[in-house]
């Protein structure tokens, strides 16, 4: 009886902690009632008295303000104050940049799924769809990636002209300035289609619409700057670039050695107040051909011409590249991907103050400007390229695996190949879902810095896996470079995406959790501000935030345990096959939040240096976000039954990654008693999530090698030519021919007729027709199919002279 009552009371307490907000006094009262119930159920009187004494002591300590302030809040505040690491202005700007969105719901441990599901479904306007179907398709048809990357090492002149004339550089510029004024979703779709044809062309279009002068001018530029530059950028009269990274300063923006000294100088024939610039930058995309250069530099005012401060901070300015002292034009060679990228420098370049983006009032605010706008472009550019790569790999690998045969069987039927195909399909569905959800948020006005960092890092890493799998499926077909290779350059370009717009290692280990913990936590910033502050009310403000924080952590821990024991108690906004995944997200969200609080309390400022642990917290956050995106996509597309295998695979894969991340934190946490507590919260019944099984593997592989509406939805948005002379068109033609002839080949096999390697194929067919085993139409179809398959699987070769001479 006693043990039954004890278990019931424990569950009741968990449910109350997880679901109900009560004051400390009421909680203490409930604990006293529970103690009395346990006494009546058979607990010994000394134990009952001991528990009552402990409850009373806790009540006196926590419910009495003076005692709590003296013995709890003050010592803890002093500890936090001493252990807080210093925060640079650039770190502070990064933490404060952007908005909190679904990342906040996940981090706080009790996600409101209505906020996810009511996010508008991404949709194209009529003008955006017309641009995709018109100029974008025309551009894709003009692109020959071998010519670009091997012969010219640049886009052809007619492609440059076409891009300018149709304003591909002006997708983010409003119509009033001559731009296209596209939504983030349309921007993403245009990049996806171009990237499925040529990485170099996609990057060329991507940069002016991402972190560049147009984006910064729109947000911070003066009216004169907007009126002058935006129409010229929209028309392609100006080619922009933005110079941020230098030889000694990459991720650490505070280390920028490039300087701008406030001084007087001559400009336009008269003496004006301005800035003398000296800089050296590298890795600048479009830099070699840019006509206007956005520059980030550290401004100083040693003569105090602008005020009392000498160090003015990081500043952004616009520099015409034909100014005296500007050196530009040399090129880097980023893994043979032929987009324009190179270094630039300036020696004693004098600009007036009105060249500063936003004018003199924006001096010193450059880093805040950059991180705020990068939080937008980071969610569109490289994630879109990653989705395009996934779709292109899925499309080509599925077709190739169907038409390529070994042992008289399509290689797509072999389980080893099925495993790679299934992973490619599931991850591509997941990447596309993540990008769709992110651009939907951007189109509603959100600037979710943590979310965009997640999709940049995790979509580019996922793309790396998909491209590797595609190369494995293609084998030698993928590694021999030449005009007919559609995978090689994509494979080479993967590290470029991994590296730029925030190197993935640092994005994972420093940015996502570090920024997310500070921005999304409801009390942490208040506590830190109060801990750092002086004044009579600082301790009281810290105490108020601390008590709320403790209640918040307790509720999340209880919620995690409760959902870990009885998963059906977790919330789901839908019924049916996807409901369990919502419940698991709710459970892992609570566990991650509670564990993060415990880690922050145990390690304090030292957590900043525990990058492996913070990286695992980032993994948990990221995979919960991507699983949420998959569920949102499944709902947006009408819960298509034929898409369920993709949804199940992507959700199971994501949630398994969350489990592994949390388990990795627990196993490696330096304070073992804290780790034991984390394990009880996160895995009260052990780790029960499993990766997708072989049955799902087979279903996903089948989607790729069979034409269907599901396959079409999976690869929607990439450029696919109907021309059988086109690289991918040839592959699709061969796949169709393979499918059309399989019934004929099956009939011949049943009759014992299998072509031998030593037989001439056409003579063999002629003999079958003569023997009335085939009619002439069937023989002609088999002959054409064999030729189309041969054309699709052949690789390029070169004469010795050509091979030696090629670059």
């Amino acid at each position: 009886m006693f043990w039954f009552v004890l278990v019931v009371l424990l569950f009741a307490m968990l449910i109350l902690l997880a679901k109900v907000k009560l004051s400390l006094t009421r909680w203490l009262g409930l604990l006293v009632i529970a103690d009395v119930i346990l006494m009546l159920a058979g607990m010994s009187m000394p134990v009952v008295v001991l528990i009552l004494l402990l409850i009373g002591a806790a009540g006196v300590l926590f419910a009495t303000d003076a005692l709590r302030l003296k013995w709890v809040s003050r010592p803890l505040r002093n500890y936090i104050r001493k252990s807080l690491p210093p925060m640079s202005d650039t770190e502070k700007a990064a933490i404060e940049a952007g908005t909190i969105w679904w990342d906040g719901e996940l981090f706080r441990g009790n996600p409101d799924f209505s906020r996810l599901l009511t996010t508008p479904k991404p949709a194209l306007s009529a003008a955006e769809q017309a641009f995709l179907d018109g100029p974008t398709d025309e551009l894709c048809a003009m692109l020959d990636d071998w010519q670009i990357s091997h012969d010219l090492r640049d886009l052809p002149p007619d492609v440059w002209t076409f891009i300018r004339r149709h304003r591909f550089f002006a997708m983010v510029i409003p119509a009033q300035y001559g731009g296209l004024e596209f939504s983030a979703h349309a921007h993403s779709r245009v990049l996806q289609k171009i990237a499925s044809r040529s990485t170099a062309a996609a990057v060329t279009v991507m940069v002016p619409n991402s972190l560049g002068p147009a984006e910064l001018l729109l947000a911070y530029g003066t009216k004169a700057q907007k009126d002058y530059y935006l129409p010229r950028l929209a028309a392609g009269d100006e080619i922009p670039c933005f110079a941020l990274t230098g030889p000694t300063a990459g991720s650490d923006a505070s280390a920028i050695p490039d300087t701008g000294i406030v001084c007087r100088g001559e400009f336009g024939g008269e003496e004006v107040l301005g800035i003398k610039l000296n800089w050296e930058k590298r890795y600048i995309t479009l830099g070699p051909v840019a006509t206007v250069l956005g520059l980030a530099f550290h401004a100083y005012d040693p003569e105090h011409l602008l005020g009392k401060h000498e160090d003015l901070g990081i500043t952004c300015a616009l520099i015409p590249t034909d100014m005296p002292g500007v050196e530009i034009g040399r090129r880097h060679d980023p893994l043979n991907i032929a987009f324009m990228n190179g270094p630039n420098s300036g020696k004693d370049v004098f600009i007036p103050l009105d060249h500063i983006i936003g004018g003199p009032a924006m001096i010193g605010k450059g880093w805040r400007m950059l991180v705020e706008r990068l939080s937008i472009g980071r969610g569109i550019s490289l994630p879109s390229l990653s989705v395009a790569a996934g779709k292109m790999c899925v499309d080509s690998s599925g077709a190739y695996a169907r038409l390529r045969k070994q042992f008289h069987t399509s290689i797509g039927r072999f389980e080893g190949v099925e495993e790679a195909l299934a992973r490619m399909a599931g991850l591509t569905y997941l990447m596309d879902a993540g990008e769709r959800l992110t651009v939907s948020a951007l189109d509603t006005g959100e600037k979710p810095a943590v979310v965009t960092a997640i999709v940049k890092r995790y979509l580019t890493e996922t793309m790396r896996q998909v491209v590797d799998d595609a190369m494995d499926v293609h084998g030698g077909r993928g590694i021999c470079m030449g005009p007919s290779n559609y995978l090689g350059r994509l494979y080479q370009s993967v590290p470029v995406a991994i590296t730029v717009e925030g190197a993935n290692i640092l994005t994972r280990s420093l940015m996502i959790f570090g920024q997310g913990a500070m921005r999304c936590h409801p009390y942490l910033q208040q506590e830190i501000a109060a801990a750092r502050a002086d004044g009579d009310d600082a301790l009281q403000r810290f105490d108020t935030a601390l008590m709320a924080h403790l209640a918040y952590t307790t509720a999340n821990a209880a919620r995690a345990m409760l959902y870990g024991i009885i998963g059906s108690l977790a919330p789901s906004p839908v019924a049916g096959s996807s409901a369990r995944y919502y419940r698991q997200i709710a459970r892992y969200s609570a566990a991650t939040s509670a564990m993060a609080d415990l880690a922050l309390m145990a390690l304090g400022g030292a957590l900043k240096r525990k990058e492996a642990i913070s990286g695992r917290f980032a993994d948990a956050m990221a995979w919960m976000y991507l699983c949420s995106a998959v569920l949102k996509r499944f709902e947006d597309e009408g819960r298509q039954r034929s898409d369920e295998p993709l949804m199940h695979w992507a959700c199971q894969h994501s949630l398994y990654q969350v489990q592994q991340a949390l388990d990795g934190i627990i196993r490696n946490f330096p304070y073992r008693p804290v780790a034991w507590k984390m394990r009880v919260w996160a895995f009260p019944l052990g780790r029960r999530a499993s990766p997708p099984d072989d049955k799902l593997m087979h279903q996903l592989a089948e989607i790729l090698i069979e034409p269907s509406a599901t396959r079409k939805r999976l690869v929607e948005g990439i450029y696919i030519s109907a021309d059988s002379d086109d690289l991918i068109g040839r592959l699709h033609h061969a796949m169709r021919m393979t499918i059309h002839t399989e019934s004929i080949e099956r009939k011949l096999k049943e009759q014992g007729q299998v072509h031998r390697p030593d037989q001439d194929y056409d003579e063999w067919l002629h003999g079958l027709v003569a023997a009335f085993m085939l009619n002439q139409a069937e023989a002609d179809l088999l002959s054409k199919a064999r030729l189309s398959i041969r054309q699709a699987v052949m690789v390029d070769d070169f004469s010795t002279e050509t091979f030696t001479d090629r670059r």
Side-chain angles (χ1 to χ4, degrees):
M1 177 65 178
F2 168 74
W3 292 107
F4 174 76
V5 172
L6 179 61
V7 170
V8 169
L9 283 173
L10 286 174
F11 268 104
M13 287 294 182
L14 279 177
I15 292 171
L16 284 171
L17 283 167
K19 301 287 188 179
V20 181
K21 287 186 177 180
L22 294 176
S23 67
L24 178 62
T25 305
R26 290 181 179 179
W27 270 114
L28 292 171
L30 284 174
L31 289 173
V32 170
I33 293 170
D35 190 36
V36 172
I37 293 172
L38 288 174
M39 179 189 68
L40 296 175
M43 189 166 66
S44 65
M45 183 58 69
V47 176
V48 170
V49 173
L50 177 62
I51 292 175
L52 285 173
L53 290 173
L54 290 173
I55 294 170
V60 170
L61 179 62
F62 282 94
T64 306
D65 289 349
L67 290 175
R68 185 180 69 250
L69 287 169
K70 180 177 181 180
W71 296 106
V72 178
S73 297
R74 189 184 300 278
L76 191 55
R77 177 175 177 267
N78 292 338
Y79 167 74
I80 291 174
R81 186 168 184 152
K82 290 178 183 177
S83 63
L84 279 175
M87 183 179 292
S88 66
D89 290 340
T90 55
E91 285 179 301
K92 185 177 180 181
I95 287 171
E96 293 175 352
T99 60
I100 302 167
W101 179 60
W102 185 242
D103 49 328
E105 296 289 334
L106 292 172
F107 192 90
R108 291 171 181 171
N110 192 20
D112 178 3
F113 289 110
S114 66
R115 190 175 184 188
L116 172 71
L117 296 182
T118 55
T119 300
K121 176 183 176 181
L124 298 171
S125 69
E128 291 167 344
Q129 187 65 62
F131 189 85
L132 269 171
D133 296 339
T136 308
D137 274 355
E138 290 180 56
L139 174 61
C140 289
M142 297 170 68
L143 299 173
D144 180 334
D145 201 48
W146 178 255
Q147 177 195 43
I148 292 167
S149 59
H150 176 266
D151 297 335
L152 300 178
R153 305 290 291 146
D154 188 9
L155 302 182
D158 62 327
V159 170
W160 276 105
T161 300
F162 188 90
I163 287 172
R164 284 173 160 141
R165 183 170 72 246
H166 289 279
R167 311 203 169 209
F168 279 88
F169 290 158
M171 286 189 281
V172 302
I173 296 177
Q176 71 183 89
Y177 298 107
L180 297 176
E181 200 171 341
F182 278 177
S183 64
H185 177 54
H187 180 181
S188 173
R189 289 290 300 274
V190 171
L191 290 179
Q192 282 185 44
K193 185 167 278 193
I194 299 171
S196 69
R197 195 68 170 170
S198 166
T199 300
V203 172
T204 300
V205 171
M206 175 185 85
V207 168
N209 292 290
S210 181
L211 177 61
E215 187 74 53
L216 294 172
L217 283 169
L218 284 169
Y220 310 106
T222 65
K223 184 178 185 302
Q225 290 170 342
K226 292 177 182 178
D227 290 344
Y228 178 77
Y229 275 112
L230 291 177
R232 296 174 61 79
L233 289 166
D237 297 332
E238 301 277 8
I239 301 296
C241 71
F242 196 89
L244 174 61
T245 304
T248 60
S251 299
D252 182 5
S254 63
I256 287 179
D258 312 294
T259 60
I261 307 299
V262 178
C263 61
R264 296 190 178 276
E266 185 177 327
F267 191 86
E270 59 182 84
E271 185 179 279
V272 298
L273 186 62
I275 296 180
K276 183 180 289 186
L277 298 163
N278 286 277
W279 78 86
E280 181 185 13
K281 302 290 188 178
R282 63 179 179 179
Y283 308 150
I284 311 306
T285 300
L286 292 188
V289 295
T291 61
V292 58
L293 182 152
L295 179 71
F297 60 93
H298 206 127
Y300 297 92
D301 185 11
E303 299 180 37
H304 301 285
L305 297 174
L306 296 178
K308 61 181 180 180
H309 298 292
E310 181 174 336
D311 185 342
L312 303 181
I314 295 171
T315 303
C316 297
L318 292 175
I319 318 294
T321 57
D322 59 359
M323 290 186 70
V326 177
E327 293 290 334
I328 201 164
R330 294 182 66 82
R331 292 182 64 177
H332 299 310
D333 187 3
L335 289 173
N336 292 320
I337 312 303
F339 62 91
M340 285 289 173
N341 186 274
N344 63 70
S345 61
K347 177 69 173 175
D348 294 335
V349 178
F350 180 80
I351 61 169
L353 293 180
D354 62 10
H355 278 43
I356 294 165
I357 298 177
M362 298 303 289
I363 292 176
K365 300 178 182 178
W367 186 243
R368 178 65 179 265
M369 294 160 60
L370 290 171
V371 294
E372 283 185 347
R373 305 323 291 178
L374 183 58
S375 72
I376 298 173
R378 184 189 279 129
I380 300 173
S381 300
L382 290 169
S384 298
L385 268 61
S386 300
V387 172
K391 290 179 177 180
M392 188 268 181
C393 287
V394 159
D395 181 57
S396 60
S397 299
Y400 185 80
R402 182 61 182 270
L403 64 91
R404 178 68 166 153
K405 294 185 178 181
Q406 296 288 282
F407 310 107
H408 305 293
T409 304
S410 293
I411 63 171
R413 306 289 186 191
F414 297 170
E415 281 199 357
V417 176
E418 280 189 337
E419 185 177 3
L421 292 175
R423 187 164 50 239
M424 293 166 64
L427 292 177
T428 298
Y429 184 83
L430 181 146
M431 285 194 291
D432 198 14
E435 175 64 355
R436 290 183 189 206
L437 180 59
T438 303
V439 296
S440 296
L442 295 174
D443 280 331
T444 62
E446 295 287 351
K447 299 177 182 65
V450 174
V451 163
T452 55
I454 285 172
V455 291
K456 188 277 169 179
R457 191 272 175 188
Y458 288 86
L459 265 60
T460 54
E461 291 291 345
T462 300
M463 178 257 291
R464 182 188 340 225
Q465 178 65 66
V466 172
V467 174
D468 281 350
D469 283 333
M471 292 293 286
D472 288 349
V473 170
H474 280 78
R477 179 71 179 86
I479 65 172
C480 292
M481 298 300 292
S484 64
N485 189 313
Y486 44 79
L487 281 181
R489 293 295 180 201
L490 176 58
Y491 180 78
Q492 285 180 305
S493 72
V494 169
V496 179
I498 299 295
T499 302
V500 300
E501 285 193 8
N504 280 3
I505 289 176
L506 295 183
T507 300
R508 172 182 178 265
S509 61
L510 292 178
M511 285 183 58
I512 294 171
F513 176 68
Q515 193 172 4
M518 291 294 291
R519 288 304 309 278
C520 300
H521 200 289
Y523 305 109
L524 191 57
Q525 288 192 72
Q526 299 172 37
E527 289 171 315
I528 290 175
R532 283 191 164 123
D534 296 315
D536 297 336
D537 68 334
L539 179 59
Q540 185 61 55
R541 287 190 287 114
F542 178 83
D543 176 75
T544 301
L546 176 64
M547 291 302 102
H549 189 164
L550 291 174
Y552 159 85
T553 303
T554 303
N556 278 327
R559 196 177 293 118
M561 286 185 65
L562 181 65
Y563 297 163
I565 296 169
I566 307 177
S568 60
L569 292 178
S572 172
V574 303
S577 62
S578 60
R580 58 181 166 135
Y581 303 125
Y582 288 95
R583 295 189 178 104
Q584 288 180 62
I585 290 173
R587 172 203 167 187
Y588 283 134
S589 172
T592 302
S593 182
M595 287 172 60
D597 275 338
L598 201 53
L600 286 164
M601 291 176 190
L603 295 174
L607 182 57
K608 181 179 179 180
R609 296 183 292 276
K610 296 290 185 181
E611 294 176 23
I613 288 176
S614 63
R616 293 185 183 100
F617 273 118
D619 291 342
M621 288 290 299
W623 288 107
M624 281 190 289
Y625 177 78
L626 292 173
C627 188
S628 302
V630 168
L631 294 170
K632 176 68 163 66
R633 174 181 181 173
F634 187 63
E635 293 297 321
D636 283 348
E637 294 185 337
R639 303 171 67 86
Q640 298 281 342
R641 187 169 181 80
S642 60
D643 289 359
E644 281 195 3
L646 290 165
M647 180 272 293
H648 285 303
W649 193 100
C651 287
Q652 290 174 25
H653 174 81
S654 299
L655 292 166
Y656 181 73
Q657 300 304 318
V658 177
Q659 173 185 271
Q660 297 304 96
L662 298 182
D663 181 60
I665 294 166
I666 293 166
R667 286 188 292 105
N668 292 279
F669 203 79
Y671 303 148
R672 298 316 298 159
V674 175
W676 299 335
K677 185 177 287 292
M678 287 180 176
R679 187 167 295 282
V680 170
W681 291 353
F683 306 115
L685 299 181
R687 291 170 292 149
R688 294 184 290 172
S690 300
D693 61 20
D694 290 352
K695 182 179 179 181
L696 268 180
M697 174 189 78
H698 175 74
Q699 291 173 331
L700 264 64
E702 194 74 13
I703 289 171
L704 296 197
I705 64 175
E706 290 286 349
S708 67
T710 298
R711 189 187 197 279
K712 187 176 180 180
R713 279 192 296 273
L714 184 60
V715 303
E716 179 190 12
I718 61 174
Y719 179 79
I720 299 176
S721 172
D723 187 351
S724 61
D725 289 332
D726 178 84
L727 271 180
I728 303 300
R730 184 185 307 160
L731 198 62
H732 278 257
H733 176 68
M735 181 183 180
R736 288 193 298 270
M737 295 295 286
T738 298
I739 293 170
H740 289 160
T741 57
E742 281 180 346
S743 61
I744 304 173
E745 291 178 337
R746 190 160 47 248
K747 179 181 73 173
L748 291 175
K749 188 175 182 181
E750 290 170 355
Q751 296 173 348
Q753 298 298 320
V754 178
H755 176 251
R756 298 195 313 271
D758 61 336
Q759 291 177 294
D760 179 271
Y761 190 75
D762 287 331
E763 288 183 4
W764 177 67
L765 290 178
H766 182 74
L768 293 173
V769 172
F772 301 103
M773 293 182 177
L774 285 179
N775 60 43
Q776 190 60 50
E778 290 173 327
D780 291 344
L781 188 60
L782 285 171
S783 181
K784 290 177 181 178
R786 181 179 176 85
L787 179 61
S788 70
I789 292 169
R790 177 177 171 80
Q791 290 173 335
V793 302
M794 289 298 289
V795 299
D796 300 289
D797 53 74
F798 306 89
S799 68
T800 301
E801 294 79 10
T802 304
F803 189 85
T804 303
D805 290 343
R806 51 180 203 139
R807 286 178 259 182

